[in-house]
Amino acid sequence: MAEKESASLGENSEIAGDMGGAALPDSLDKLEHQTEEGQAPAGEGEKINLDDRHVTERVQPQSREGEMPKMKFVNPFANDRLLETGKQETSEVEYTPEEQAAIDKLYSLQTEADDMNAMMELEEKELVRKYNKKFQALFKERASCIDSSALSHFWLNVLKKSKLIADNITSRDEEALKYLADIASDNVAGEGTFTLTFKFSSNPYFENLSLTKVYEMDEEDPDVLTKAVGCPIHWKSGKDLTKRVVRKKIKGPKGPPKYSTKVETCDSFFHLFAPPQMVDDPEEQEIIEDILEADYEIGDRLRSEIIPNAVRWYTGEIQEESEEDDEFDDEDDEEEEEYNSDL
């Protein structure tokens, strides 16, 4: 898959607007014929597919000439279509009594395997629920330890150790994130929907003592994001870090300088709590998909890697490979100056 440049959560992301070479099982012949004719496999809907780390609207698979369409791996035990079509597609074949007896025995064993797999999935879900509760208790104790320790700005330093996240934190954000007391997830042990909770001590930036972000995943396919839900931030007067007031000098005749002011959206980590919603316009939708991809990558990194291993990130035991940042000169012909004002 061609790599796409990840969109940031801020100003630069604003909306201005193969399974190749692999043979399919005989029991999927019908599905293969459908995809060759440009039809989608049964059950496809318009959801955001996070397979291979890419968020897009699910669309009808289209293949280039001579290539098979990309298809997602399907667990054969959990695929009802395989179970429903297996005998039907072989019903026209005549078997000897000995062959038929062997086939009947194999189907009996297959049914046992299906039942065993279903039981395994149920037990796995129960195990995940059990250990999620254990993790919550352990991380609550960790939060108390951090709060009473001499480690200042623990979570800010943890976030800055991840380049993926640090790239979305501005110097203004850092001042607010110094008040971040804990980051928790209700689901660190399994797949599916999860909620991130950012807990803050009282601070001069916003009234909230906690900010939440929910990633709703499809119940049948935990790799498919159906919705990202943030929360309102109750900014204190003049402290909205997602906006800035820019004052520009107006060119004119000699005399006292005159200025015009306007409010602009700017880069900020706190855009994470206001994810965009899907729209009908194809161009804007593509931009939104890029933003949601970057958004989900951050959420998943926090849930699956950073929250469970926070102290290892803090000490640098876990490190990301990073490239030297390019420096850009954003000087404008017009004089600009940023300052806080009531927004």
Side-chain angles (χ1 to χ4, degrees), residues 163 323-329:
K163 186 176 186 302
E323 298 178 0
E324 189 174 347
D325 294 331
D326 295 330
E327 294 184 359
F328 297 92
D329 186 358

Side-chain angles (χ1 to χ4, degrees), residues 31 33-41 60-61:
L31 183 59
H33 295 326
Q34 289 177 344
T35 54
E36 287 175 352
E37 295 170 4
Q39 300 177 15
Q60 305 288 357

Side-chain angles (χ1 to χ4, degrees), residues 226-291:
T226 59
K227 187 188 297 184
V229 182
C231 69
I233 301 178
H234 304 299
W235 297 101
K236 294 183 179 180
S237 178
K239 297 295 185 178
D240 189 341
L241 299 175
T242 66
K243 293 181 174 61
R244 64 179 181 179
V245 177
V246 176
R247 185 169 67 171
K248 294 185 178 182
K249 185 177 180 180
I250 301 175
K251 293 181 180 180
K254 292 182 179 181
K258 294 183 179 180
Y259 296 88
S260 66
T261 61
K262 66 176 180 178
V263 177
E264 297 180 341
T265 298
C266 60
D267 290 342
S268 174
F269 173 79
F270 291 94
H271 284 293
L272 183 73
F273 302 99
Q277 303 302 312
M278 300 307 293
V279 295
D280 294 331
D281 185 280
E283 292 185 3
E284 288 191 3
Q285 182 171 300
E286 185 175 354
I287 297 173
I288 290 174
E289 289 169 359
D290 289 342
I291 297 173

Side-chain angles (χ1 to χ4, degrees), residues 19-241:
M19 193 168 141
L24 290 172
D26 293 337
S27 55
L28 283 180
D29 284 344
K30 185 179 295 184
L31 183 59
E32 179 181 354
H33 295 326
Q34 289 177 344
T35 54
E36 287 175 352
E37 295 170 4
Q39 300 177 15
E44 289 285 318
E46 293 187 356
K47 296 177 181 176
I48 302 172
N49 190 359
L50 293 172
D51 289 343
D52 59 29
R53 313 297 297 173
H54 184 65
V55 183
T56 57
E57 282 282 311
R58 238 186 217 181
V59 297
Q60 305 288 357
Q62 297 178 351
S63 57
R64 294 188 292 271
E65 185 175 359
E67 292 185 4
M68 291 184 63
K70 291 183 179 179
M71 296 183 64
K72 186 177 176 182
F73 173 78
V74 178
N75 178 355
F77 291 109
N79 187 352
D80 293 337
R81 284 177 295 179
L82 281 176
L83 303 179
E84 293 172 358
T85 62
K87 288 187 177 181
Q88 296 174 1
E89 293 189 358
T90 60
S91 60
E92 296 180 0
V93 180
E94 294 184 3
Y95 298 107
T96 65
E98 292 79 7
E99 290 174 330
Q100 188 63 54
I103 290 174
D104 290 343
K105 176 61 176 177
L106 290 173
Y107 267 107
S108 176
L109 294 172
Q110 180 67 58
T111 299
E112 288 186 38
D114 297 337
D115 293 342
M116 191 179 299
N117 185 73
M119 182 62 67
M120 180 186 70
E121 290 182 349
L122 288 174
E123 292 181 2
E124 185 180 47
K125 290 179 180 179
E126 183 58 36
L127 189 64
V128 167
R129 282 193 289 268
K130 173 184 175 181
Y131 276 91
N132 267 323
K133 290 180 180 179
K134 290 179 177 289
F135 279 125
Q136 303 315 313
L138 184 67
F139 293 155
K140 185 175 181 179
E141 182 179 351
R142 181 181 67 183
S144 297
C145 178
I146 293 172
D147 185 54
S148 60
S149 72
L151 301 175
S152 60
H153 313 143
F154 178 87
W155 283 102
L156 170 60
N157 287 309
V158 168
L159 295 179
K160 289 172 65 177
K161 293 293 177 65
S162 168
K163 186 176 186 302
L164 173 66
I165 298 176
D167 283 350
N168 289 281
I169 297 176
T170 69
S171 58
R172 298 170 71 209
D173 292 335
E174 286 191 25
E175 294 304 311
L177 290 172
K178 287 178 179 179
Y179 297 90
L180 181 58
D182 190 29
I183 307 177
S185 172
D186 63 343
N187 181 7
V188 296
E191 300 175 320
T193 296
F194 62 96
T195 300
L196 298 176
T197 303
F198 296 73
K199 301 177 183 180
F200 290 82
S201 57
S202 180
N203 64 83
Y205 292 91
F206 42 79
E207 302 291 347
N208 314 59
L209 293 182
S210 66
L211 300 175
T212 59
K213 181 62 176 290
V214 181
Y215 295 90
E216 295 185 7
M217 315 302 287
D218 187 84
E219 292 185 2
E220 297 181 358
D221 189 344
D223 290 326
V224 177
L225 177 70
T226 59
K227 187 188 297 184
V229 182
C231 69
I233 301 178
H234 304 299
W235 297 101
K236 294 183 179 180
S237 178
K239 297 295 185 178
D240 189 341
L241 299 175

